Structures are given as structure tokens and as C-alpha cells.
Amino acid sequence: MLHRAWRLFTRGQRLNRRGRIAESAAVLEEALSMLEWHPHAPPEPGTARARLIAKALMVLSTDLASQGEATEALRLLDQASEFVDPADRGVLLHQRALGLWQRGRLPEAVHWFEEAEPQLAENGPDYMYAALFHNRANLWRDLGELQKALESIQRSINLYNTKVDIPVNRAKAIHVEALIWLDLGEVTKALTAFDEVRELYRQYAPELETFIQASYAEALSYVGLFSQSTVRWAEAIAAQRLAGDHRSAAIFEYWCAIAAYEHNRLELAQEWAKQAVDSLYEQGNEPMAFLAQLLVLQCRFDSGDVGPDFADKVSRLVDALGQRDWTLRLNQAKVLAARAWIRTGELERAAKALGFDRGGVGYEALAEDLALYLARAELAVAQENDPLPTIRAGLEQLDEYRMAFGSVEFQAGVSALGIQLAFKGLGHVARRSGPSEILWWMERSRAQAMRIPPVKSSVDPAAQEALGRLRQARQQLWEVQVEGGSAAGERERVQELEEEIRAFDRTRPGSGRQEDRIPPEDIHELAESRETVVVNLFEVANQLSVVLVGGDGMRHIQMMPLKDASELAQRIGADLDALRRTFHHPQRLRQSVEGSMRRNADALAEGIWNPIADYVGDRQVVVVPHSKLAWVPWPILPPLRGRPLTVSPSAEAWWRAVHRPEGSGPALIASGPGLARATGEIEEIAKLYSGARLIPAEKSDPESVLRALDGAAIAHLAAHGHHEPDNVLFSRLDFGLGPLNAYELLGLDQPPSHVVLSACDLGLSTVEVGNETLGFTAALLHAGTSTVVSSLAKVPDAMAADMMLEYHRKCVSGATPAEALAAVGEHRPWHPFVAFGA
């Protein structure tokens, strides 16, 4: 019997290590039943049966804690302590510390880990001695003592490398080390380690791979990609629930709520936070339940749902956390209380709450600092002091953080972390200052990623090899789709390869450099010299406004409500899409769609153009749109028809594009398959450029196209394209031998000065939370192309061919891209082409 029970115990222990909690508990309870264990009839101390029962109870206690039964878990340890073998007492003390940590009783856990260490050092077992440093690292992490956490986990890893041969435990220790690197702000280093751990889990404990999913969710939040983070947290929660690990699931619910809140999805954030409150209280984890309650209050605060006792509710929760020596997000809670007191006019209480010192490293310290800057700025306004130095300091700190990342996706996402702070500064100056200062602050909240030089990770041999496999997978997917078969497996393979490449890109460190800021006066001077007006659209208090430069002095003008402008923009987009589908329909249907387009375009022009028409006069126009107007095809507005017009992500980006040296290499003219008139189009265009390199569809290899792009003065690409709103770096152009991805464009050493994309809708972009644009056109601009002409909707082949040939003839005769597009578009009122950049 004892032998069979021992085998069950070791099996339950292995299942516990692999995260199969419910199975482990069931096996251990079977072992205890076989050993005839009953708490009211404890075994005789010193016997083999007593020792095995105690061991089984100690492992079972960790299973129960993970299943949310923390009180019962501690009760089992109390029972085992009556007859535990002296050589195993260190294990029991360790398990007690672990259980207390899991319940959020951190100071008590510190004490029992200290008590356990000398006993485990003397009696072992070695694997538990290594586990002590592992688990204590998690405790130090929760206490914010990151250097102590790092030292502890590295000591654990050393033991696994030298004395303890348990590969799955070693993998878990490396995972914790990676999480600490993440806390310390070493995001790219952490992501590299996560990839290593994922492979180890797949080899030794596939059930644990869901924890990597949660770690990626955490990392994505650290760079502002909150939408992606929320999805990954939800997947990780479901996996933990399925595995029976309710403790981890509850904690993940809290962090999922945080990601949803940062994404400004307040209703979803409250749902997750309320669920986390119930789950965490159920397990006895009061401190984290208090944090979840604070998040519910934060959502109410941001929604304006604040009663007279709101600040006191927050303050009570802050006090409760402080009494438990809890530090995680404690200062953010103090900031919330202070902001509530500012709203009620209790400024002395608010100032006292904001009196804590800044410090620390990594994302949590940054998030704390940005929250503190925001609250202190609000306090300065309430006290009738200048908030701008405080806001500026916060944004400068964010600039330093952004430069650490090589991934354009991460650089763009980081902007989201400071969006409230930037808008606070913009709103303040919009009400009190002149247009020059308004423009300066406006530029602090848009196209920040474009100030950072690309790291060019796509040229790495490993990335290129993965891109080759991706092209093959996409070709296989296309062939299956053409044959009408089920393409689920091929589609999954494409997604896996894209994720592999994204993961590789995200581990690249940044250059630590960024472009200098351009003074508004310099932007105005350049625009004036080019007889151009830069129209900078922005929002304050839900009202669309504009700063104009390049005319008779700088000017700030209020316009229509942003909501109305956004609705009109959406209608125009729908009209444009409907118009494309009616090219081969009866004339009456087409006229109906055109009538709707005309009405919506007139209404938008009345609200946006009419207030600035006198200032602009007959000058050329550069539009820097608000993010909610990013997809407006501006040339279709009647007052702008036939007027040279460019759309730029920011005024500074336009200034830099104008000053960028022009390319001098041979023109590239290439086409992809499936375009009826592409062959004739590119052959005629190629004749206009001396020495042009012509790549017809049947010979169009994306790698050769990419090489020809490098150094070309101008490139005309007639190929079907795909904008991927959820995976923008894999927006692509289809060529004969596979797709050319937006991601690859960032590896160009000398991108063409002027690129024309004559088919499909690759002028579209995805606007991240931080007002950053990503997509195929944006990738070219980021890589260093000055002007990209592309479409905001799908284009009939005949229209594209006719327009583009005429367009290039005008460019060759000396017209700028904006002038040429205006001329060819004047008699084609509903074409969707736009010149982006300069």
C-alpha cells in the first residue's frame, strides 16, 4: 500500500509542476485516501506513513491555493505540522510562505521564507531549496524590490543549472527572470527570453505555454498595444480556468481589466474588474481585490460618475492597501484619490496625496510617473499655476522610453501611454495661448514614431528566411482558395509565420536616437516660401479646431463638432466603397451613389473648408488630419478639387520630407498579376523615364522588387494590395512570386523619393491608440520616402491605368506629385487617390 501511495504522490507532484492543477489534486487525494488519512486521526510521527501523508498534504495545499481555496490550503499545512518529519519542516515552512504570498499577505510571507531558508539549506531537498529562491523572487517582485527579485531568481537558476535536474522548474525560473527584466524596462530582452521559455515549455510541459501568452499580454501593455493585450489576457484566462488554476485566472482578470481601461474601453474594463473582485475575494486575496475595486472606481471617475464621497472611498482602499504593506499600483491609487479631491476643490488634501517621491525603473514606474505628472498638472491648473513644465517633463520621459524599442509597432504603441498628458497640455494652451504654442503641443501627440530611425530588422538573415517561408505559405493558401477547398490549415500557418516575424521584430532594441523637434516658426516659414498652407486639425472638448500656418501669420480657428465631422467622413468612405461597386451597374444607381457622395462632401467642406477658405486663398494645401479623419479622401471635397494637396501625419513630418534629398537612381516600374491593363500601363510609363527598370507581372519577384526600390528616384507599383487593419506590418502588395510586406520596406537603405501605388486601398492606415498611423503607405513614409501616392479605396483597373499614365506625364514635365495629381483628378471628381507626405 505504501509503495502504491508513494507512486501516486510522485505522479501528483509531477502534475503540479506542469500546471495540471486539478489532475494533481485528484491524484494526491487518491493517495491520501489510500493512506487512510483523516485530520481527526493523525498518523504516528516518525513513521514512513506519517512522512508521506505530510508530503502529500504540502503539495495538495499548493493545488488548493491555485484552485482558489487558500484558507483550506493553510489548514492542511497546520494539520501536517503536527507530524511532519523534522527533515521536511523546511518544506512545510516554505509552503506556508507560499500560501501567504498567494493570499497577498506579503510581510508574513517574507518572514516564513526567511524561516524556511536555513532548514532547506541544511536538509533539502535541493529542488525545494531552488524553489524557495524562485518563489521568493515572485514575492520581491510584488513588493517592488526588483533587484532583490533578480538576485533571488538568478540564484534559483544557478541551482537548476548545477544541482537540480528538473527541466520544467528551470524553465519556470527563466520565465520569472524574464518577467523581472520586463518590470525593469528591458522589454526586448524579456521578449527574447519568453521565446526561449516557450520552446522549453513545449518540450517539457506544454500545459504551461498559456503562461507565456499572459506574459506577452503584459509586455504588449508595456508598449501601449492595449487592444492586442486584452485579447491575449482573455485567452490566457480561459486556459487557466480550463486547467483549474483559478488563482492565476483571477489575477489575469485584473490585468485584462487594466488593459481594457488603458484602451479606453471603460465598460469592458469594469466588467473584467468586477469579475476580478469576486474571484479574488473568493480566494482570500484581499489586496488584489482592493486593486480591482480601485479600477472600478477609476472607470467611474473617467466616466464622470463621481459622487460626493468618491475620494473618501478611494482613500479607504488606499489605507487598506497600506496597512497590508502592499506597494503594487499603490501610488496610482493615491493619484486617483488626489484627482477626485481636485475635482471637489479639496486642494490641500490633493497636494498631500501627491507628495510621494518619484523613483524606480521599468514600465510600472513610468506608468506611476505619468499618472503623477497628470495629477500634478491638474492641481497646478486648479491652483491657477502653470501646468506646462510638469506635462513637458512627463512627455520627455516618455520620449526616452520610446527610443528603447526597435519595433515600429512598439514605438507607435508607446505614444498611447502619454496621450492623456499630451492632450492635457494641448487643451490648456488651446484656451490660453496663441497658434504657435498650440501647434508645438499638437506635434507632441502625433507621429512620434516617425522621429525614430528604423532599426531595419527585416534584413536580418533569420527574418529573411522566415519571410521566405511566409511567402510560400501565402502562395499555398492562395492555391487552396482558388481550388475552393478548406484553407483553415494554410491560414493558420500564415498566421503562425506572421506572429514569428512580429515576435522577432519586437525583440530588436532601439537606436536610442530621434530627430530634433522643428519649431513652429520654421514650419510656417517653409510653408510660406512654398506658397502652401499647412492645415493642422485637432480636437479640444469634442470640438474640431485648426491651426493654420503658411499664410498671413499663424492662425487658430474653431470648426464644427468632431462627432459631426467624423460621421460625415464615415459616410464618404461608405459612398466611395459603394461607388466602386457600381461601375458596371445601371447609370441611375451610380447617379444615386454620386448624389450621396456629393451631399456628404459638401457638408464636410462647409464645416471644415469654409472657415479657412479666406486664409488659404489659392495656395497649395497640406492637411494634417485628426485621427478620426485619417481616411478622408480630401481631393473629393469640391473646394479642393483641382488644388494641389498633400496629406501628412504631422507638420514636422512634412517639414522633414520636404528637406529630404531626392533619389537619383533609375526609376522602377513594376506590376503584379491579375490587373487587366497593368502590362500596357507599366510599359507606357516606363517609356517616360530614361533607363527605367521594368519588371512585368510574370517576372515580379518581391525580393527583386525590394532590391530595385533601394536607391530608385521614383517607383510605380501596379499591383493588388491588401491593408491588414489587425496586422498592419503585413499589409502587402501581391507580385507574381509572392507578396511584398510593409515590414520589409523598413529595411530599405535609400527608399525612393516618390512612390506610386496605383491599385487597391493601400492609402488606408490603422491609427493606434496613441494617434500613430501604421500601414503600407505609412511604412514607406517611415522608411524615408518623401511622397507616396496611393488610394483610399479599391480602384477599377481602367481608371487607374488612364490616371497614372497622365499623372506620370505631368511629373516628367516638371509638376510636383501634388500638382500632377490635382491636374489629373480635376475631371475625375470621385477618384480615391491621395498624395501622402510632401
Side-chain angles (χ1 to χ4, degrees):
M1 178 191 69
L2 197 62
H3 181 69
R4 289 175 59 199
W6 182 265
R7 285 197 301 174
L8 286 171
F9 164 72
T10 56
R11 182 182 168 207
Q13 192 175 46
R14 286 196 304 273
L15 289 167
N16 173 278
R17 288 173 184 159
R18 296 182 63 173
R20 295 164 64 174
I21 303 301
E23 294 174 74
S24 172
V27 169
L28 291 168
E29 286 171 352
E30 183 181 351
L32 288 167
S33 176
M34 186 174 293
L35 291 166
E36 298 180 347
W37 154 249
H38 194 282
H40 300 301
E44 183 179 348
T47 63
R49 174 172 171 265
R51 188 173 191 186
L52 183 54
I53 289 173
K55 283 178 174 290
L57 290 173
M58 287 188 285
V59 178
L60 180 59
S61 73
T62 66
D63 289 335
L64 293 181
S66 294
Q67 291 177 308
E69 300 179 41
T71 301
E72 179 62 22
L74 290 173
R75 185 179 294 116
L76 291 185
L77 294 177
D78 289 339
Q79 293 165 355
S81 67
E82 297 178 9
F83 52 86
V84 67
D85 190 274
D88 294 334
R89 183 159 294 277
V91 177
L92 186 138
L93 297 177
H94 170 274
Q95 300 300 81
R96 185 179 298 282
L98 184 62
L100 291 166
W101 165 65
Q102 290 173 328
R103 294 194 66 180
R105 293 162 61 178
L106 305 188
E108 294 174 78
V110 169
H111 167 75
W112 289 110
F113 274 133
E114 290 174 351
E115 291 291 314
E117 182 177 351
Q119 297 208 35
L120 289 174
E122 180 178 353
N123 299 314
D126 289 340
Y127 75 84
M128 188 57 68
Y129 190 49
L132 177 135
F133 294 107
H134 178 155
N135 292 318
R136 189 154 62 180
N138 279 320
L139 171 60
W140 287 130
R141 186 175 175 233
D142 280 355
L143 286 168
E145 298 280 359
L146 298 183
Q147 287 302 326
K148 289 183 178 179
L150 189 60
E151 292 168 6
S152 188
I153 198 61
Q154 288 176 344
R155 190 166 178 183
S156 176
I157 292 170
N158 182 59
L159 287 168
Y160 286 123
N161 287 338
T162 58
K163 297 182 66 176
V164 181
D165 185 21
I166 304 179
V168 65
N169 281 9
R170 178 178 174 273
K172 289 195 285 187
I174 295 172
H175 190 177
V176 172
E177 183 187 37
L179 290 170
I180 297 168
W181 285 126
L182 190 62
D183 294 338
L184 288 167
E186 299 279 358
V187 179
T188 55
K189 187 173 184 176
L191 289 171
T192 301
F194 290 157
D195 290 341
E196 176 190 353
V197 174
R198 185 194 298 276
E199 293 306 313
L200 290 173
Y201 283 165
R202 286 175 175 173
Q203 182 176 356
Y204 298 112
E207 303 88 344
L208 297 177
E209 192 175 343
T210 56
F211 284 98
I212 290 293
Q213 186 84 327
S215 298
Y216 265 111
E218 191 171 355
L220 291 170
S221 286
Y222 284 16
V223 292
L225 298 181
F226 301 116
S227 177
Q228 296 179 38
S229 176
T230 304
V231 171
R232 293 211 184 205
W233 279 122
E235 291 172 351
I237 291 164
Q240 295 311 312
R241 291 285 182 203
L242 187 63
D245 189 347
H246 300 293
R247 173 188 171 274
S248 295
I251 293 171
F252 292 175
E253 286 169 358
Y254 169 72
W255 290 112
C256 185
I258 288 285
Y261 167 76
E262 295 292 358
H263 195 221
N264 203 33
R265 299 182 64 185
L266 300 185
E267 291 185 7
L268 179 63
Q270 285 196 71
E271 289 176 14
W272 278 115
K274 289 176 181 177
Q275 185 170 322
V277 169
D278 293 340
S279 301
L280 291 162
Y281 270 131
E282 185 179 332
Q283 295 166 49
N285 191 343
E286 280 192 338
M288 288 213 69
F290 294 160
L291 286 182
Q293 283 183 302
L294 281 164
L295 185 56
V296 173
L297 293 176
Q298 179 77 67
C299 293
R300 286 178 48 194
F301 180 85
D302 286 11
S303 302
D305 180 17
V306 179
D309 62 341
F310 181 88
D312 290 331
K313 288 180 180 178
V314 176
S315 183
R316 286 194 292 271
L317 285 169
V318 170
D319 290 342
L321 288 168
Q323 290 166 6
R324 289 159 177 78
D325 294 320
W326 188 268
T327 59
L328 180 65
R329 297 221 152 206
L330 178 61
N331 285 337
Q332 282 95 318
K334 293 178 182 177
V335 166
L336 176 58
R339 294 182 70 195
W341 280 320
I342 291 168
R343 284 196 183 180
T344 59
E346 299 176 79
L347 303 187
E348 290 187 9
R349 294 183 74 180
K352 184 177 179 181
L354 297 175
F356 59 87
D357 293 330
R358 293 175 46 247
V361 294
Y363 170 75
E364 283 297 327
L366 174 69
E368 178 183 299
D369 286 350
L370 293 177
L372 182 59
Y373 283 128
L374 180 63
R376 286 179 175 173
E378 291 176 343
L379 180 61
V381 171
Q383 294 172 331
E384 299 184 353
N385 296 323
D386 184 5
L388 298 183
T390 298
I391 298 173
R392 188 178 290 112
L395 293 177
E396 288 172 354
Q397 185 174 341
L398 189 62
D399 277 352
E400 293 296 321
Y401 184 71
R402 184 187 294 105
M403 287 188 290
F405 302 105
S407 164
V408 173
E409 197 178 15
F410 280 7
Q411 293 164 2
V414 164
S415 298
L417 305 179
I419 203 72
Q420 287 191 67
L421 204 56
F423 283 170
K424 182 68 68 176
L426 178 59
H428 183 79
V429 298
R431 290 184 288 269
R432 294 169 176 79
S433 303
S436 175
E437 190 163 5
I438 296 173
L439 179 58
W440 191 91
W441 279 95
M442 201 186 309
E443 290 293 291
R444 300 306 298 259
S445 61
R446 52 179 47 158
Q448 300 305 297
M450 292 191 72
R451 297 175 57 216
I452 302 173
V455 170
K456 303 179 181 179
S457 59
S458 64
V459 302
D460 186 282
Q464 291 185 329
E465 193 273 334
L467 285 164
R469 286 187 279 121
L470 175 61
R471 289 195 180 96
Q472 292 174 1
R474 279 207 173 277
Q475 185 68 21
Q476 292 168 358
L477 172 61
W478 179 81
E479 290 171 356
V480 172
Q481 289 173 328
V482 167
E483 293 170 0
S486 172
E490 287 75 11
R491 190 174 290 109
E492 183 178 350
R493 177 59 177 159
V494 166
Q495 292 172 348
E496 287 175 355
L497 287 166
E498 288 180 349
E499 192 57 35
E500 178 184 334
I501 295 166
R502 290 175 87 184
F504 176 84
D505 186 55
R506 289 167 171 177
T507 61
R508 301 301 94 184
S511 64
R513 296 182 292 111
Q514 63 182 356
E515 298 279 1
D516 293 334
R517 297 204 170 274
I518 313 301
E521 291 73 20
D522 289 2
I523 297 170
H524 176 70
E525 181 181 341
L526 177 64
E528 189 175 30
S529 70
R530 294 170 65 87
E531 297 185 355
T532 297
V533 169
V534 183
V535 179
N536 301 277
L537 296 168
F538 69 103
E539 167 204 2
V540 172
N542 301 315
Q543 194 77 16
L544 191 64
S545 295
V546 65
V547 166
L548 303 168
V549 301
D552 184 14
M554 300 187 197
R555 195 171 301 176
H556 170 212
I557 298 174
Q558 286 194 336
M559 294 182 166
M560 65 194 304
L562 178 63
K563 180 181 178 183
D564 295 346
S566 178
E567 287 179 359
L568 287 169
Q570 291 175 3
R571 290 179 195 169
I572 289 171
D575 289 338
L576 201 60
D577 187 52
L579 194 64
R580 173 188 64 82
R581 295 196 299 268
T582 62
F583 273 103
H584 303 294
H585 285 69
Q587 183 68 13
R588 183 175 297 177
L589 177 59
R590 180 173 175 77
Q591 288 174 345
S592 174
V593 175
E594 287 182 351
S596 175
M597 174 87 79
R598 187 176 296 107
R599 288 190 297 273
N600 290 322
D602 286 342
L604 189 60
E606 181 180 352
I608 289 181
W609 180 257
N610 290 0
I612 66 174
D614 289 343
Y615 179 95
V616 178
D618 60 357
R619 298 177 182 86
Q620 298 190 22
V621 171
V622 174
V623 177
V624 179
H626 185 279
S627 60
K628 291 186 178 179
L629 304 176
W631 301 285
V632 171
W634 298 98
I636 75 167
L637 270 61
L640 295 175
R641 192 175 301 150
R643 182 190 296 264
L645 180 144
T646 306
V647 175
S648 184
S650 75
E652 289 186 4
W654 171 77
W655 189 95
R656 293 190 190 96
V658 170
H659 284 85
R660 197 168 287 132
E662 292 187 8
S664 57
L668 167 65
I669 316 296
S671 70
L675 293 172
R677 295 183 56 181
T679 300
E681 175 187 342
I682 66 169
E683 287 177 351
E684 290 299 314
I685 292 173
K687 292 175 184 177
L688 299 174
Y689 295 97
S690 176
R693 180 171 183 183
L694 180 64
I695 303 180
E698 62 273 13
K699 296 182 180 179
S700 58
D701 174 2
E703 294 181 6
S704 64
V705 170
L706 191 64
R707 286 194 296 271
L709 279 171
D710 225 341
I714 183 171
H716 178 95
L717 306 176
H720 280 306
H722 309 270
H723 176 65
E724 298 287 351
D726 297 323
N727 202 356
V728 286
L729 291 181
F730 292 97
S731 295
R732 60 196 179 277
L733 282 175
D734 288 337
F735 289 104
L737 299 180
L740 175 62
N741 301 289
Y743 169 63
E744 298 172 82
L745 302 173
L746 298 169
L748 294 171
D749 290 325
Q750 187 181 346
S753 299
H754 179 188
V755 175
V756 179
L757 307 173
S758 69
C760 298
D761 51 1
L762 287 180
L764 291 174
S765 59
T766 293
V767 181
E768 294 293 327
V769 178
N771 283 344
E772 302 281 338
T773 55
L774 294 173
F776 202 92
T777 293
L780 281 165
L781 295 175
H782 197 148
T785 294
S786 294
T787 306
V788 181
V789 173
S790 55
S791 171
L792 290 169
K794 296 187 183 300
V795 188
D797 294 352
M799 174 189 277
D802 291 342
M803 279 191 70
M804 290 300 103
L805 182 56
E806 187 179 344
Y807 171 84
H808 281 283
R809 284 174 178 155
K810 293 188 179 297
C811 287
V812 170
S813 68
T816 66
E819 291 168 343
L821 189 60
V824 301
E826 189 167 6
H827 304 295
R828 298 175 175 92
W830 309 126
H831 78 82
F833 285 100
V834 176
F836 294 92

